[in-house]
Amino acid sequence: MVGSLVCGVWLDRTKTYKQTTLVVYIMTLVGMIVYAATLKQGKLWVVFITAGSLGFFMTGYLPLGFEFAAELTYPESEGTSSGLLNCSAQVFGIIFTICQGKIIDKFNTLAGNIFLCVFLLVGSIMTGLIKSDLRRQNANRLAKEEAEKRMLEQDYGATAQISSQPKTPPSQT
């Protein structure tokens, strides 16, 4: 939960969608590698620390992924992109759970964790290849600039009344 909160606040302040998503994805991969390596050490406290850091980055990725998807798919509804992401996460979760269970049964726990690490690496590479086209941010920036432009063009106060009075021709003065 802390990872979601920290990453969400960071993203709101910096608006660095792709960079933050990529860093958190890579840190999830690193956390998974460290977790897999420390599992056989027999020290429970080490496993808890590595599992905690892995969980920090894995849950931190959730708000980043949803927000980045909303940026990339704008003007589509945020609910549509979030729903599709959530659905695909559930489908992949089921597939990966079944596959990892079969790998662990046939080989060992380390092989199952390596399986997950491979797909985290593939996901990191795919995230790095995404074009960072922040459509929602660009639309918001353009709307703000347009509103500021209209406000500057609007004439408020005494100058509007003076300029609207008919001018007397110089010959009549």
Side-chain angles (χ1 to χ4, degrees):
M1 290 187 301
V2 174
S4 290
L5 182 64
V6 169
C7 291
V9 168
W10 173 264
L11 192 62
D12 283 343
R13 292 189 183 195
T14 64
K15 305 290 187 214
T16 53
Y17 292 86
K18 181 177 178 177
Q19 299 88 334
T20 304
T21 302
L22 190 57
V23 166
V24 170
Y25 213 130
I26 291 170
M27 290 307 296
T28 301
L29 171 61
V30 169
M32 188 68 198
I33 292 169
V34 172
Y35 175 76
T38 60
L39 227 94
K40 291 279 185 179
Q41 285 188 355
K43 296 182 180 174
L44 194 58
W45 67 272
V46 174
V47 173
F48 281 153
I49 290 172
T50 57
S53 65
L54 175 61
F56 176 86
F57 290 109
M58 285 181 102
T59 59
Y61 186 78
L62 290 172
L64 300 178
F66 286 128
E67 285 297 312
F68 195 30
E71 285 294 325
L72 296 174
T73 59
Y74 185 83
E76 287 298 320
S77 162
E78 290 178 29
T80 302
S81 63
S82 295
L84 288 171
L85 274 179
N86 206 11
C87 183
S88 65
Q90 298 302 316
V91 169
F92 277 105
I94 291 167
I95 293 169
F96 279 24
T97 300
I98 292 169
C99 291
Q100 187 180 24
K102 291 187 183 293
I103 291 169
I104 290 171
D105 289 344
K106 187 168 183 169
F107 300 102
N108 59 22
T109 305
L110 181 61
N113 287 330
I114 290 171
F115 164 77
L116 293 178
C117 288
V118 167
F119 280 98
L120 284 170
L121 178 62
V122 169
S124 296
I125 292 168
M126 289 174 66
T127 300
L129 295 174
I130 293 173
K131 182 182 174 198
S132 187
D133 181 19
L134 305 179
R135 297 176 184 176
R136 186 175 61 174
Q137 291 296 316
N138 291 338
N140 288 342
R141 182 181 45 78
L142 289 173
K144 183 179 178 184
E145 288 173 2
E146 185 63 33
E148 288 173 352
K149 182 180 173 186
R150 278 188 304 226
M151 195 189 306
L152 289 174
E153 290 173 352
Q154 185 76 28
D155 196 359
Y156 301 100
T159 57
Q161 291 179 359
I162 293 171
S163 63
S164 65
Q165 292 181 2
K167 292 185 179 179
T168 317
S171 60
Q172 293 181 354
T173 57

